[in-house]
Amino acid sequence: MDPFQQRQLGRTDVTLPQLGFGGAPLGNLFAAVSEADATATMEAAWAEGVRYYDTSPWYGRGLSERRMGSFLLNQPRSAFRLSTKVGRIFTAPADPEAFAKTQRSWPEGLKFQHHYDYSYDGVMRSYEDSLQRLGMNRVDILLIHDLDAANMGSEALLAAHLTQLATGGMRALQELKAHGLIGAVGAGVNRLGTIPRFLNLLDLDFFLVALPYTLAEQPVLDEEFPLCERRGVGLVIGGVFASGILATGVVPGARYNYHEPSPLEAEHVRRIEAVCARYAVPLAAAALQFPLHHQLVASVIPGALHPSQVGRNIESMRHPIPDQLWAELKQEGLLRADAPTP
Protein backbone atom coordinates (compact mmCIF):
# COMPACT_ATOMS: atom_id res chain seq x y z
CA MET A 1 0.00 0.00 0.00
CA ASP A 2 1.43 3.37 -1.02
CA PRO A 3 1.69 5.48 2.16
CA PHE A 4 1.58 8.74 0.23
CA GLN A 5 -1.25 8.12 -2.21
CA GLN A 6 -3.71 11.01 -1.87
CA ARG A 7 -7.32 10.54 -0.82
CA GLN A 8 -10.15 13.07 -0.65
CA LEU A 9 -11.39 13.93 2.84
CA GLY A 10 -15.16 13.50 2.74
CA ARG A 11 -16.84 16.01 0.42
CA THR A 12 -14.19 18.70 0.98
CA ASP A 13 -11.50 19.88 -1.40
CA VAL A 14 -8.86 18.69 1.08
CA THR A 15 -6.78 15.69 0.07
CA LEU A 16 -4.57 13.77 2.48
CA PRO A 17 -1.87 11.14 2.07
CA GLN A 18 -2.87 7.70 3.33
CA LEU A 19 -0.22 7.93 6.06
CA GLY A 20 0.16 10.94 8.32
CA PHE A 21 1.93 11.74 11.58
CA GLY A 22 0.12 11.91 14.92
CA GLY A 23 1.59 14.49 17.27
CA ALA A 24 0.49 13.22 20.71
CA PRO A 25 3.85 11.54 21.50
CA LEU A 26 5.64 14.85 20.92
CA GLY A 27 3.69 16.16 23.93
CA ASN A 28 5.31 13.46 26.10
CA LEU A 29 2.28 11.15 26.01
CA PHE A 30 3.88 7.92 27.23
CA ALA A 31 7.35 9.11 28.15
CA ALA A 32 9.40 12.28 28.14
CA VAL A 33 10.82 12.95 24.67
CA SER A 34 13.90 15.14 24.55
CA GLU A 35 14.01 18.18 22.29
CA ALA A 36 16.73 16.46 20.27
CA ASP A 37 14.65 13.30 19.77
CA ALA A 38 11.54 15.32 18.94
CA THR A 39 13.42 17.25 16.27
CA ALA A 40 15.09 14.12 14.92
CA THR A 41 11.73 12.35 14.70
CA MET A 42 10.20 15.22 12.75
CA GLU A 43 13.27 15.35 10.49
CA ALA A 44 12.95 11.61 9.82
CA ALA A 45 9.25 11.93 9.01
CA TRP A 46 9.89 14.73 6.56
CA ALA A 47 12.83 12.91 4.95
CA GLU A 48 10.67 9.81 4.49
CA GLY A 49 8.03 11.86 2.67
CA VAL A 50 5.41 12.38 5.39
CA ARG A 51 3.38 15.49 4.56
CA TYR A 52 0.35 15.36 6.87
CA TYR A 53 0.81 16.33 10.52
CA ASP A 54 -1.85 16.33 13.24
CA THR A 55 -1.47 17.94 16.66
CA SER A 56 -3.50 19.57 19.44
CA PRO A 57 -3.09 22.16 22.18
CA TRP A 58 -3.91 19.36 24.65
CA TYR A 59 -0.87 17.25 23.68
CA GLY A 60 1.62 18.27 26.34
CA ARG A 61 -0.47 21.38 27.05
CA GLY A 62 1.03 23.16 24.05
CA LEU A 63 4.31 21.26 23.80
CA SER A 64 3.39 19.19 20.73
CA GLU A 65 2.22 22.27 18.81
CA ARG A 66 5.37 24.16 19.73
CA ARG A 67 7.67 21.34 18.67
CA MET A 68 5.82 20.54 15.48
CA GLY A 69 5.54 24.16 14.44
CA SER A 70 9.21 24.83 15.15
CA PHE A 71 10.17 22.18 12.62
CA LEU A 72 7.49 22.83 10.00
CA LEU A 73 8.21 26.56 10.04
CA ASN A 74 11.30 25.83 7.96
CA GLN A 75 9.43 23.77 5.34
CA PRO A 76 7.53 25.07 2.30
CA ARG A 77 4.01 25.78 3.59
CA SER A 78 2.36 24.52 0.40
CA ALA A 79 4.12 21.16 0.76
CA PHE A 80 2.26 19.81 3.82
CA ARG A 81 -1.12 19.54 5.51
CA LEU A 82 -1.50 20.53 9.16
CA SER A 83 -4.39 19.96 11.55
CA THR A 84 -4.96 20.99 15.15
CA LYS A 85 -7.87 21.20 17.57
CA VAL A 86 -10.09 23.56 19.57
CA GLY A 87 -12.07 23.34 22.81
CA ARG A 88 -9.56 24.25 25.52
CA ILE A 89 -8.12 27.60 26.56
CA PHE A 90 -4.73 27.56 28.30
CA THR A 91 -3.62 30.05 30.93
CA ALA A 92 -0.72 30.34 33.38
CA PRO A 93 -1.37 28.85 36.83
CA ALA A 94 -0.75 31.01 39.88
CA ASP A 95 1.94 28.60 41.10
CA PRO A 96 3.44 26.77 38.09
CA GLU A 97 5.68 24.46 40.15
CA ALA A 98 2.87 23.34 42.45
CA PHE A 99 0.58 22.91 39.45
CA ALA A 100 3.08 20.67 37.66
CA LYS A 101 3.36 18.35 40.68
CA THR A 102 -0.38 17.68 40.71
CA GLN A 103 -0.81 16.73 37.06
CA ARG A 104 -1.52 13.15 36.02
CA SER A 105 -2.26 14.20 32.43
CA TRP A 106 0.90 15.27 30.62
CA PRO A 107 3.10 15.42 33.76
CA GLU A 108 6.04 16.27 31.49
CA GLY A 109 4.07 18.86 29.53
CA LEU A 110 4.19 22.64 29.66
CA LYS A 111 3.00 24.38 32.83
CA PHE A 112 -0.34 25.73 31.65
CA GLN A 113 -3.76 25.02 33.11
CA HIS A 114 -6.85 24.82 30.92
CA HIS A 115 -10.58 25.23 30.89
CA TYR A 116 -13.06 24.02 28.28
CA ASP A 117 -14.61 26.63 26.00
CA TYR A 118 -16.63 25.81 22.87
CA SER A 119 -18.17 29.27 22.48
CA TYR A 120 -17.62 31.52 19.46
CA ASP A 121 -14.97 33.55 21.26
CA GLY A 122 -13.43 30.46 22.81
CA VAL A 123 -13.01 28.69 19.48
CA MET A 124 -11.54 31.81 17.88
CA ARG A 125 -9.10 32.28 20.75
CA SER A 126 -8.08 28.61 20.69
CA TYR A 127 -7.46 28.84 16.94
CA GLU A 128 -5.43 32.05 17.27
CA ASP A 129 -3.42 30.69 20.23
CA SER A 130 -2.58 27.59 18.20
CA LEU A 131 -1.32 29.72 15.32
CA GLN A 132 1.02 31.47 17.75
CA ARG A 133 2.35 28.22 19.24
CA LEU A 134 2.78 26.73 15.78
CA GLY A 135 4.33 29.85 14.29
CA MET A 136 1.90 29.49 11.37
CA ASN A 137 -0.60 31.90 9.87
CA ARG A 138 -3.03 29.14 8.95
CA VAL A 139 -3.84 25.48 9.43
CA ASP A 140 -5.53 23.27 6.87
CA ILE A 141 -7.93 21.42 9.17
CA LEU A 142 -9.50 22.25 12.53
CA LEU A 143 -11.14 19.74 14.87
CA ILE A 144 -13.43 19.94 17.90
CA HIS A 145 -11.59 18.06 20.63
CA ASP A 146 -12.67 15.82 23.54
CA LEU A 147 -16.32 16.81 23.69
CA ASP A 148 -17.70 13.71 25.40
CA ALA A 149 -18.98 12.73 28.84
CA ALA A 150 -15.74 11.05 29.90
CA ASN A 151 -13.75 14.26 29.44
CA MET A 152 -16.47 16.61 30.67
CA GLY A 153 -17.08 14.59 33.82
CA SER A 154 -20.86 14.52 33.61
CA GLU A 155 -23.75 14.34 31.18
CA ALA A 156 -24.94 17.76 32.32
CA LEU A 157 -21.62 19.41 31.45
CA LEU A 158 -21.49 17.59 28.14
CA ALA A 159 -24.96 18.84 27.21
CA ALA A 160 -24.04 22.39 28.21
CA HIS A 161 -20.86 22.40 26.14
CA LEU A 162 -22.61 20.84 23.15
CA THR A 163 -25.18 23.64 23.31
CA GLN A 164 -22.35 26.17 23.56
CA LEU A 165 -20.74 24.66 20.47
CA ALA A 166 -23.99 24.48 18.49
CA THR A 167 -24.97 28.08 19.29
CA GLY A 168 -21.53 29.70 19.11
CA GLY A 169 -18.39 27.71 18.40
CA MET A 170 -19.70 26.13 15.24
CA ARG A 171 -20.34 29.57 13.77
CA ALA A 172 -16.68 30.42 14.35
CA LEU A 173 -15.57 27.23 12.58
CA GLN A 174 -17.90 27.91 9.66
CA GLU A 175 -16.59 31.47 9.33
CA LEU A 176 -12.97 30.28 9.31
CA LYS A 177 -13.82 27.82 6.57
CA ALA A 178 -15.88 30.31 4.55
CA HIS A 179 -12.97 32.78 4.63
CA GLY A 180 -10.53 30.13 3.38
CA LEU A 181 -8.58 30.02 6.64
CA ILE A 182 -9.24 26.30 7.06
CA GLY A 183 -10.26 23.69 4.52
CA ALA A 184 -12.25 21.25 6.67
CA VAL A 185 -14.04 21.09 10.03
CA GLY A 186 -14.03 17.88 12.01
CA ALA A 187 -14.32 16.38 15.47
CA GLY A 188 -12.08 13.97 17.31
CA VAL A 189 -13.96 11.06 18.90
CA ASN A 190 -12.92 7.91 20.73
CA ARG A 191 -16.14 6.64 22.27
CA LEU A 192 -19.23 5.01 20.82
CA GLY A 193 -22.30 7.20 20.55
CA THR A 194 -20.38 10.43 20.00
CA ILE A 195 -20.66 10.54 16.20
CA PRO A 196 -24.48 10.38 16.04
CA ARG A 197 -24.74 12.99 18.76
CA PHE A 198 -22.52 15.38 16.82
CA LEU A 199 -24.30 14.80 13.52
CA ASN A 200 -27.70 15.38 15.10
CA LEU A 201 -26.53 18.92 15.92
CA LEU A 202 -23.84 19.91 13.44
CA ASP A 203 -22.80 19.71 9.81
CA LEU A 204 -19.24 18.35 9.96
CA ASP A 205 -16.84 17.36 7.18
CA PHE A 206 -15.14 14.45 8.93
CA PHE A 207 -14.28 12.68 12.17
CA LEU A 208 -10.90 11.72 13.54
CA VAL A 209 -11.71 8.36 15.14
CA ALA A 210 -9.33 6.94 17.73
CA LEU A 211 -9.75 3.42 19.19
CA PRO A 212 -13.25 2.23 18.10
CA TYR A 213 -11.95 1.23 14.65
CA THR A 214 -8.78 -0.85 14.79
CA LEU A 215 -7.71 -4.33 13.79
CA ALA A 216 -8.70 -5.39 17.32
CA GLU A 217 -12.29 -4.08 17.30
CA GLN A 218 -14.77 -2.40 14.95
CA PRO A 219 -17.98 -1.50 16.84
CA VAL A 220 -18.45 1.70 14.82
CA LEU A 221 -19.52 -0.43 11.86
CA ASP A 222 -22.92 -0.97 13.49
CA GLU A 223 -24.25 2.59 13.39
CA GLU A 224 -21.56 5.28 13.35
CA PHE A 225 -19.83 4.61 10.03
CA PRO A 226 -23.06 3.86 8.11
CA LEU A 227 -24.36 7.23 9.34
CA CYS A 228 -21.18 8.94 8.13
CA GLU A 229 -21.59 7.28 4.75
CA ARG A 230 -25.16 8.51 4.41
CA ARG A 231 -24.06 12.05 5.29
CA GLY A 232 -20.92 12.08 3.11
CA VAL A 233 -18.69 12.52 6.15
CA GLY A 234 -15.05 11.47 5.83
CA LEU A 235 -12.80 9.73 8.35
CA VAL A 236 -9.24 9.88 9.61
CA ILE A 237 -8.14 7.07 11.92
CA GLY A 238 -5.94 7.70 14.93
CA GLY A 239 -4.90 5.19 17.57
CA VAL A 240 -4.42 2.52 14.91
CA PHE A 241 -2.23 0.49 17.27
CA ALA A 242 -4.88 0.54 20.03
CA SER A 243 -2.41 2.62 22.10
CA GLY A 244 0.46 0.21 21.47
CA ILE A 245 -0.46 -3.46 21.64
CA LEU A 246 -1.08 -3.76 17.88
CA ALA A 247 2.45 -2.49 17.24
CA THR A 248 4.29 -4.62 19.77
CA GLY A 249 2.05 -7.61 20.30
CA VAL A 250 1.29 -8.89 23.79
CA VAL A 251 4.48 -8.02 25.64
CA PRO A 252 5.03 -6.76 29.20
CA GLY A 253 3.82 -3.19 29.49
CA ALA A 254 1.76 -3.23 26.28
CA ARG A 255 -1.43 -1.19 26.51
CA TYR A 256 -4.81 -1.93 24.95
CA ASN A 257 -6.82 1.27 24.53
CA TYR A 258 -4.70 2.89 27.26
CA HIS A 259 -5.22 0.17 29.87
CA GLU A 260 -3.59 -3.13 30.73
CA PRO A 261 -5.25 -5.73 28.50
CA SER A 262 -7.63 -8.19 30.10
CA PRO A 263 -6.88 -11.89 29.54
CA LEU A 264 -9.57 -12.00 26.82
CA GLU A 265 -8.18 -8.90 25.08
CA ALA A 266 -4.63 -10.24 25.24
CA GLU A 267 -5.69 -13.60 23.83
CA HIS A 268 -7.61 -11.90 21.02
CA VAL A 269 -4.49 -9.98 19.97
CA ARG A 270 -2.30 -13.10 20.27
CA ARG A 271 -4.61 -14.96 17.90
CA ILE A 272 -4.57 -12.09 15.39
CA GLU A 273 -0.78 -12.00 15.57
CA ALA A 274 -0.61 -15.77 15.01
CA VAL A 275 -2.64 -15.46 11.81
CA CYS A 276 -0.39 -12.63 10.63
CA ALA A 277 2.68 -14.75 11.36
CA ARG A 278 1.38 -17.58 9.18
CA TYR A 279 1.46 -15.16 6.25
CA ALA A 280 4.79 -13.56 7.29
CA VAL A 281 3.01 -10.23 7.87
CA PRO A 282 4.01 -8.07 10.86
CA LEU A 283 1.10 -7.33 13.19
CA ALA A 284 1.84 -3.60 12.86
CA ALA A 285 1.53 -3.79 9.07
CA ALA A 286 -1.93 -5.36 9.27
CA ALA A 287 -2.98 -2.82 11.92
CA LEU A 288 -1.85 0.16 9.83
CA GLN A 289 -3.31 -0.99 6.55
CA PHE A 290 -6.63 -2.40 7.77
CA PRO A 291 -8.53 0.90 8.32
CA LEU A 292 -7.62 2.18 4.85
CA HIS A 293 -9.74 -0.48 3.20
CA HIS A 294 -12.83 1.43 4.33
CA GLN A 295 -13.92 3.79 1.56
CA LEU A 296 -14.54 6.70 3.95
CA VAL A 297 -11.06 6.63 5.47
CA ALA A 298 -8.68 9.19 4.00
CA SER A 299 -5.66 8.66 6.25
CA VAL A 300 -4.20 6.91 9.29
CA ILE A 301 -1.99 8.92 11.65
CA PRO A 302 0.25 6.85 13.92
CA GLY A 303 2.58 8.75 16.21
CA ALA A 304 6.28 8.23 16.81
CA LEU A 305 8.63 8.70 19.75
CA HIS A 306 11.84 8.11 17.84
CA PRO A 307 13.09 8.40 14.24
CA SER A 308 13.27 4.61 13.92
CA GLN A 309 9.53 4.33 14.52
CA VAL A 310 8.83 6.57 11.54
CA GLY A 311 10.77 4.22 9.29
CA ARG A 312 8.97 1.19 10.68
CA ASN A 313 5.60 2.81 9.98
CA ILE A 314 6.59 3.43 6.36
CA GLU A 315 7.80 -0.17 6.00
CA SER A 316 4.59 -1.46 7.57
CA MET A 317 2.47 0.49 5.09
CA ARG A 318 4.40 -0.92 2.16
CA HIS A 319 4.47 -4.54 3.37
CA PRO A 320 2.38 -6.73 1.02
CA ILE A 321 -0.60 -8.41 2.67
CA PRO A 322 -2.35 -11.30 0.90
CA ASP A 323 -6.12 -11.24 0.73
CA GLN A 324 -6.14 -14.66 2.40
CA LEU A 325 -4.96 -13.12 5.67
CA TRP A 326 -8.07 -10.97 5.96
CA ALA A 327 -10.27 -13.91 5.00
CA GLU A 328 -8.72 -16.11 7.68
CA LEU A 329 -9.13 -13.44 10.35
CA LYS A 330 -12.83 -13.32 9.50
CA GLN A 331 -13.15 -17.12 9.41
CA GLU A 332 -11.57 -17.34 12.86
CA GLY A 333 -13.94 -14.71 14.24
CA LEU A 334 -11.08 -12.31 14.90
CA LEU A 335 -12.34 -9.64 12.49
CA ARG A 336 -15.93 -8.70 11.77
CA ALA A 337 -17.32 -10.31 8.66
CA ASP A 338 -18.62 -6.95 7.44
CA ALA A 339 -15.31 -5.12 7.92
CA PRO A 340 -14.15 -3.80 4.51
CA THR A 341 -11.12 -5.73 3.30
CA PRO A 342 -9.80 -6.80 -0.13
Side-chain angles (χ1 to χ4, degrees):
M1 184 173 284
D2 180 358
F4 307 128
Q5 179 180 328
Q6 297 287 314
R7 292 189 176 190
Q8 184 178 358
L9 181 59
R11 295 168 297 178
T12 73
D13 294 329
V14 175
T15 59
L16 298 173
Q18 293 185 130
L19 179 68
F21 182 101
L26 296 186
N28 297 340
L29 174 60
F30 298 115
V33 179
S34 69
E35 288 295 323
D37 280 347
T39 300
T41 301
M42 289 291 295
E43 288 174 343
W46 188 268
E48 290 280 5
V50 176
R51 296 295 184 267
Y52 169 35
Y53 298 88
D54 174 76
T55 185
S56 167
W58 180 231
Y59 302 158
R61 295 192 295 273
L63 182 59
S64 174
E65 283 189 326
R66 185 184 64 76
R67 286 173 161 176
M68 190 172 283
S70 179
F71 176 81
L72 292 175
L73 187 62
N74 297 310
Q75 313 308 324
R77 184 61 188 87
S78 61
F80 62 88
R81 298 289 193 188
L82 178 61
S83 59
T84 193
K85 304 176 179 75
V86 298
R88 291 178 173 92
I89 302 297
F90 290 82
T91 56
D95 187 338
E97 297 305 321
F99 168 80
K101 292 176 181 177
T102 65
Q103 297 308 296
R104 288 186 295 176
S105 298
W106 314 103
E108 301 294 333
L110 301 183
K111 297 171 185 176
F112 290 95
Q113 63 189 7
H114 80 274
H115 65 271
Y116 292 103
D117 192 336
Y118 298 90
S119 68
Y120 178 93
D121 289 341
V123 166
M124 285 299 193
R125 174 171 172 180
S126 179
Y127 165 76
E128 291 163 358
D129 285 353
S130 285
L131 294 186
Q132 294 294 322
R133 283 187 292 265
L134 289 162
M136 300 281 168
N137 57 21
R138 65 182 176 88
V139 294
D140 301 287
I141 300 168
L142 208 52
L143 295 109
I144 302 152
H145 202 195
D146 285 345
L147 190 44
D148 56 53
N151 283 290
M152 294 297 107
S154 72
E155 176 62 30
L157 280 174
L158 171 60
H161 283 300
L162 277 170
T163 299
Q164 188 181 51
L165 175 67
T167 59
M170 194 62 195
R171 179 164 55 90
L173 293 167
Q174 291 168 337
E175 286 182 10
L176 291 170
K177 185 179 176 184
H179 294 155
L181 298 173
I182 57 175
V185 175
V189 301
N190 54 23
R191 290 171 176 84
L192 287 177
T194 310
I195 287 176
R197 194 160 187 173
F198 269 115
L199 292 182
N200 283 337
L201 284 174
L202 310 169
D203 184 18
L204 296 175
D205 297 316
F206 78 105
F207 289 98
L208 196 170
V209 178
L211 304 184
Y213 194 64
T214 68
L215 186 64
E217 55 182 319
Q218 308 86 43
V220 285
L221 290 176
D222 288 328
E223 296 181 11
E224 271 86 344
F225 281 13
L227 177 59
C228 289
E229 188 168 5
R230 291 194 296 271
R231 296 279 292 269
V233 174
L235 300 168
V236 171
I237 305 298
V240 287
F241 296 131
S243 77
I245 199 167
L246 293 179
T248 64
V250 184
V251 298
R255 295 295 182 191
Y256 183 104
N257 292 358
Y258 299 105
H259 63 257
E260 184 176 348
S262 69
L264 284 176
E265 289 167 340
E267 180 59 21
H268 183 70
V269 174
R270 285 193 188 97
R271 292 180 63 199
I272 292 174
E273 189 171 17
V275 173
C276 290
R278 286 199 283 275
Y279 292 93
V281 172
L283 177 62
L288 265 181
Q289 294 185 38
F290 163 70
L292 288 161
H293 293 301
H294 197 291
Q295 63 177 354
L296 297 183
V297 175
S299 184
V300 295
I301 51 170
L305 292 165
H306 190 270
S308 62
Q309 294 178 345
V310 175
R312 286 200 294 272
N313 288 339
I314 300 290
E315 292 172 4
S316 293
M317 281 289 291
R318 289 176 171 154
H319 196 288
I321 299 180
D323 294 353
Q324 295 91 328
L325 181 148
W326 307 114
E328 185 168 338
L329 287 175
K330 291 180 177 181
Q331 290 166 3
E332 294 292 325
L334 300 171
L335 184 64
R336 286 180 53 142
D338 59 346
T341 57

